[in-house]
Amino acid sequence: MTEITRSDHALELRSGGTTLLTLDKSDGKAVLQRKFLFVKMKPAEMDLSEVKDVSLDVGVDRASGVEVCNTMLVSRAGAAFALPAADKVDAEKSATAMRE
């Protein structure tokens, strides 16, 4: 389940305990922070002015048949940040919050 926290100048989306996406209007940046096991990975940044689209990426795991959903923040250059979601409804809720 994605936790959504809003403030006057920022939107934070936390997926599980491993991924945090911050959209900060005052800095004009989108920052993706991830953890792998107990190690924090280097944050990835994107200018908000470079964001072209917010979309859903839905796929099916071939081995188990489970639907895997991500909310994607796509730049004009084609780079993307993926925010994992619990299910399609959760991914749609995250995408709606990002678009606002």
Side-chain angles (χ1 to χ4, degrees):
M1 192 77 182
T2 304
E3 295 176 30
I4 301 172
T5 307
R6 298 169 199 243
S7 68
D8 293 340
H9 61 87
L11 174 70
E12 289 186 348
L13 298 113
R14 183 177 304 274
S15 178
T18 60
T19 308
L20 174 66
L21 178 62
T22 305
L23 305 173
D24 193 340
K25 288 182 186 177
S26 62
D27 289 342
K29 298 271 185 195
V31 180
L32 181 68
Q33 298 173 345
R34 296 172 289 175
K35 288 184 195 174
F36 181 70
L37 297 176
F38 297 107
V39 179
K40 286 186 178 181
M41 299 174 74
K42 182 180 175 182
E45 291 187 2
M46 178 189 308
D47 289 334
L48 289 178
S49 62
E50 289 297 312
V51 174
K52 179 178 100 174
D53 191 23
V54 176
S55 63
L56 298 179
D57 180 36
V58 180
V60 177
D61 181 44
R62 291 182 187 182
S64 64
V66 174
E67 192 173 59
V68 179
C69 300
N70 293 309
T71 305
M72 304 293 289
L73 189 66
V74 182
S75 75
R76 290 188 176 115
F81 290 169
L83 184 69
D87 56 14
K88 193 170 184 175
V89 173
D90 188 34
E92 289 172 350
K93 185 175 90 173
S94 297
T96 301
M98 287 176 169
R99 288 179 184 129
E100 290 175 358

